[in-house]
Amino acid sequence: MGQPRALRFLTLQQVADELNTKHNTIRALIASGDLPAIQIGGRGQWRIERTKLEDYITGAYAKARTDLANGEV
């Protein structure tokens, strides 16, 4: 049957699970603008595009490298 297709848009809980953090942390990242998200539907549910999550992770690694190089760990 092949591999299951990866979801393009993730719920906040799915992102929290993937990053092994809390739902509220993801909300804070959205509110700060660090993690781009969209609201969909009549209830305004938040969704995060997988590529935006991957970009966030890549940026977090870059920041960690800079922090390490500057002795900020």
Side-chain angles (χ1 to χ4, degrees), residues 3-19:
Q3 294 184 353
R5 186 172 158 261
L7 296 175
R8 178 175 177 183
F9 291 96
L10 304 169
T11 65
L12 277 83
Q13 190 58 56
Q14 287 169 319
V15 172
D17 291 346
E18 195 154 328
L19 294 178

Side-chain angles (χ1 to χ4, degrees), residues 41-57:
R43 295 185 297 171
Q45 297 178 1
W46 288 98
R47 294 291 183 269
I48 299 166
E49 192 169 5
R50 180 168 290 284
T51 57
K52 299 299 184 190
L53 176 58
E54 295 300 330
D55 291 345
Y56 171 79
I57 293 168

Side-chain angles (χ1 to χ4, degrees), residues 22-43:
K22 296 183 185 208
H23 185 271
N24 288 341
T25 301
I26 304 306
R27 283 193 172 278
L29 289 171
I30 292 169
S32 70
D34 290 334
L35 185 58
I38 60 172
Q39 277 188 300
I40 61 165
R43 295 185 297 171

